[in-house]
């Protein structure tokens, strides 16, 4: 038994096991433990102040958290749907074009080449009610009262969504384009001969073939959007009056600004459930879509 | 229910001409087979008729309408693709009923017609299965069923049997023939298998390099091939073909092979030949037979030659031997044992020889 344990293969994978241990498992256990303490960053000794489920109980009663939770779901729903819609449109257009497709594909990727922080700054500037490009542009067309894009309680959320969508639609586009390029030509031709117009071909053939790709893109992006922090932090800082507070901006605020790490970690664990739920849902759909196509 | 007409159609892919100046009249209810070697433009022709490929020149008529600019969906044509092209996410019955659903037929009508197709093709057990759960032959039948539920003006088949095993292929061939007799529709059928072409076709079109070599009934093509290409393409085993030159020996025309063997030219061919002309000299396997086991034809030429190889096939035996340096094959229908290396006397029936021009390949 012990001989086998220290055999060649084990020694060979030992470095990766250690790396995974240090990078993932230990922090995971540590943070999970802290969520049961009243750990404050400013008072290291509080790390050993075990409070049981108190942090989680506080969480359940905390309406601000649940607002942030709900807002995150809304943010996810709007952003994912619009990105899917725009991404699909772009992919279909580029797929149709035969000349200059490669150049277009590269141009399409531009937004992904910028740091989200810089994208945030850029859009913050565009949406600035005073000196921003957008309001000045509207002014040219005679719209004189400045619109408070990032200050109005409803507009602020929308503005952040616009920035997020601008920066990441190309992920959808590129994945769906890959899907489109992989669709066999035969069923589409068969459908055309069977009497389908372009829309019917799209609905009955192209879309079912694209479904697996759509769900892969949705999974990736749901994880991405679910942890949205940087762009919100830069553009509104969660304001006005917390109207754009998402789960992770709230966790960061409580964990670092209020230094209340134990509580923040408890929140993180609850929010992870959200990500797991989305991932699980989309993966189930992905498997179903693939089975539907006879791909196992 | 319509005739299909091609008028000088041409298809170019950049510099490549896939089909050139092709004209064809296919009357209503005809079973027309397009046959030719790989890459000769059969699929391209079919796809142009279906509307899946743009036409570079010429006109296509279905009924009395030019359909050049029409979408496939407006041509009322069914097509069976070489690799079936079933919809993988639909069950067999959904595949069958899809075109009717698109045409907004009512549910009962769809059900009746799908049921009918399912019965004709013996797919009852498989109705609820997806294509990935079917064997090649079953998929092929679904593809066929999908074409027949539509009651189209014309059927287009692109090598529908090429992926099946020999037995299933023969079986499906008969099914297709029966189907055509039952449905009474124009059929344009592509294959590169000449046996399939001979057995199915009312008329055969032989193509080569994008042009039509010859159009005719199977027997016409077999008996009166217009070119050397057609002669060797139709019939199995392939027609024996020997290079020769016309010589004049004391007033009589002979063809002389490269290795010095001379054969007298049959009288009826004489007039169209000139001394020194290069020709190909062809004859079918059954027209050169071992004298020992057959009757000597009225007008014949004989040689004694060694058997290279004998292939007994049951009803017939193929004997490979040499005429000069060229290997030729003889077919005899008597069940006699022939051994390799035996010396046999062969008689060639001169009334059934074919001559083709050495340069153009045209029949003389
Ligand atoms: N999309 C294309 N682009 C360029 N050339 C093409 C294209 N499609 C076909 N060709 C050429 O056109 C010619 C005819 O092709 P086609 O598919 O009609 O042959 P085929 O007779 O059906 O052959 P097979 O028996 O192998 O199916 C070929 O030389 C082929 O290389
Ligand atoms: Mg082909």
């Amino acid at each position: 038994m012990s001989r086998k344990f220290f055999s060649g293969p084990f020694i060979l994978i030992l470095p990766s096991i250690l790396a995974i241990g240090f990078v993932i498992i230990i922090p995971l256990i540590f943070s999970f433990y802290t969520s049961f303490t009243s750990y404050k960053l400013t008072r290291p000794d509080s790390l050993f102040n075990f409070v049981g489920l108190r942090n989680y109980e506080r969480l359940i009663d905390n309406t601000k958290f649940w607002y942030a939770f709900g807002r995150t779901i809304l943010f996810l729903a709007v952003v994912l749907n619009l990105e899917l819609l725009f991404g699909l449109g772009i992919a279909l257009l580029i797929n149709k074009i035969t000349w200059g497709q490669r150049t277009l594909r590269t141009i399409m990727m531009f937004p992904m080449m910028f740091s989200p922080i810089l994208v945030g700054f850029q859009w913050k500037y565009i949406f600035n009610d005073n000196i921003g490009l957008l309001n000045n542009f509207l002014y040219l067309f005679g719209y004189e009262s400045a619109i408070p894009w990032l200050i109005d309680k409803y507009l602020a959320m929308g503005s952040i969504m616009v920035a997020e969508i601008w920066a990441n639609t190309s992920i959808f586009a590129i994945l769906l384009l890959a899907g489109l390029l992989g669709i066999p030509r035969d069923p589409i031709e068969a459908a055309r001969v069977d009497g389908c117009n372009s829309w019917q071909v799209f609905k009955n053939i192209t879309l079912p073939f694209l479904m697996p790709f759509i769900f892969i893109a949705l999974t990736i992006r749901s994880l991405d959007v679910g942890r949205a922090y940087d762009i919100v932090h830069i553009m509104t800082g969660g304001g006005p009056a917390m109207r754009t507070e998402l789960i992770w901006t709230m966790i960061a605020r409580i964990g670092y600004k209020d230094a209340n790490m134990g509580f923040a970690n408890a929140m993180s664990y609850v929010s992870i459930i959200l990500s797991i739920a989305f991932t699980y849902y989309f993966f189930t759909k992905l498997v179903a879509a693939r089975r539907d196509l006879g791909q196992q | 229910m319509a005739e299909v007409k091609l008028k000088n159609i041409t298809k170019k892919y950049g510099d490549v001409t896939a089909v050139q100046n092709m004209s064809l009249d296919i009357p209503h209810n005809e079973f027309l087979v397009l046959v030719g070697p790989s890459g000769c433009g059969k699929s391209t022709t079919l796809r142009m008729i279906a509307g899946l490929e743009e036409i570079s020149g010429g006109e296509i008529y279905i009924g009395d309408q030019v359909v050049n600019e029409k979408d496939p969906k407006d041509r009322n044509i069914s097509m069976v693709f070489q690799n079936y092209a079933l919809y993988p996410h639909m069950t067999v019955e959904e595949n069958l009923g899809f075109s009717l659903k698109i045409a907004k037929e009512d549910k009962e009508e769809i059900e009746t017609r799908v049921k009918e197709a399912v019965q004709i093709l013996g797919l009852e057990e498989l109705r609820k299965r997806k294509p990935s759960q079917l064997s090649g032959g079953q998929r092929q039948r679904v593809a066929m069923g999908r074409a027949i539920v539509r009651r189209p003006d014309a059927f287009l088949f692109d090598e529908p049997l090429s992926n099946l095993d020999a037995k299933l292929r023969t079986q499906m061939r008969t099914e297709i023939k029966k189907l055509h007799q039952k449905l009474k529709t124009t059929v344009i059928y592509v294959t590169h298998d000449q046996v399939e072409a001979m057995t199915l076709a009312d008329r055969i079109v032989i193509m080569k390099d994008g042009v039509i070599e010859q159009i005719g009934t199977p027997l016409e093509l077999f008996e009166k091939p217009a070119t050397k290409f057609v002669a060797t393409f139709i019939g199995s085993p392939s027609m024996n073909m020997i290079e020769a030159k016309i010589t004049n020996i004391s007033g009589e025309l002979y063809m002389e092979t490269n290795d010095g063997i001379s054969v007298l030219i049959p009288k009826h061919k004489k007039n169209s030949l000139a001394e020194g002309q290069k020709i190909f000299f062809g004859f079918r396997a059954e027209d050169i037979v071992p004298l020992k086991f057959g009757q000597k034809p009225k007008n014949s030429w004989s040689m004694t030659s060694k058997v290279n190889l004998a292939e007994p096939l049951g009803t017939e035996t193929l004997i490979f031997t040499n005429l000069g340096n060229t290997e030729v094959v003889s077919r005899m229908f008597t069940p006699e044992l022939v051994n390799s290396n035996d010396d046999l006397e062969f008689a060639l029936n001169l009334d059934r020889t074919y001559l083709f021009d050495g340069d153009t390949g045209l029949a003389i």
Side-chain angles (χ1 to χ4, degrees), chain B residues 140-141 144 161 168-176:
Chain B
Q140 202 280 327
R141 279 183 277 160
M144 195 95 81
L161 307 184
L168 203 54
R169 195 180 314 165
T170 325
Q171 209 177 324
M172 286 307 299
R173 205 165 67 199
T174 323
E175 290 300 322
I176 292 177

Side-chain angles (χ1 to χ4, degrees), chain B residues 43 82 158-159:
Chain B
S43 298
Q82 185 161 359
D158 192 354
E159 309 201 19

Side-chain angles (χ1 to χ4, degrees), chain B residues 203 214-226 230:
Chain B
R203 270 196 314 159
Q214 191 175 0
I215 307 177
T217 64
L219 269 185
E220 273 167 12
L221 296 188
F222 187 79
E223 290 294 330
K224 299 193 187 82
V230 174

Side-chain angles (χ1 to χ4, degrees), chain A residues 185, chain B residues 13 16-19 36-45 53 82 158-159 190 192:
Chain A
R185 209 178 55 164
Chain B
Y13 294 107
V16 185
T17 307
V19 174
S38 191
C40 69
K42 308 179 295 284
S43 298
T44 308
T45 308
E53 210 75 65
Q82 185 161 359
D158 192 354
E159 309 201 19
V190 163
H192 56 237

Side-chain angles (χ1 to χ4, degrees), chain A residues 106-122:
Chain A
T106 316
I107 292 176
M108 184 184 84
M109 307 278 287
F110 277 176
M112 288 171 63
M113 296 174 193
F114 306 117
S115 147
I117 303 265
L118 296 185
V119 171
F121 274 125
Q122 186 56 43

Side-chain angles (χ1 to χ4, degrees), chain B residues 38-103:
Chain B
S38 191
C40 69
K42 308 179 295 284
S43 298
T44 308
T45 308
L46 212 59
R47 292 168 56 78
M48 284 192 287
I49 299 173
L52 294 171
E53 210 75 65
E54 282 200 34
I55 303 167
S56 314
E59 277 140 29
I60 294 182
Y61 294 78
I62 296 176
D64 39 19
Q65 288 182 45
V66 181
V67 295
N68 283 25
E69 300 298 326
K70 278 196 180 178
D71 272 346
K73 70 179 169 63
D74 301 320
R75 297 194 184 192
N76 195 24
I77 266 183
S78 282
M79 181 154 172
V80 177
F81 292 78
Q82 185 161 359
N83 33 14
Y84 318 136
L86 299 179
Y87 310 124
H89 53 299
M90 298 183 198
T91 61
V92 167
E93 58 183 14
E94 285 166 344
N95 262 286
L96 293 175
F98 182 68
S99 60
L100 302 177
K101 198 177 119 198
I102 291 297

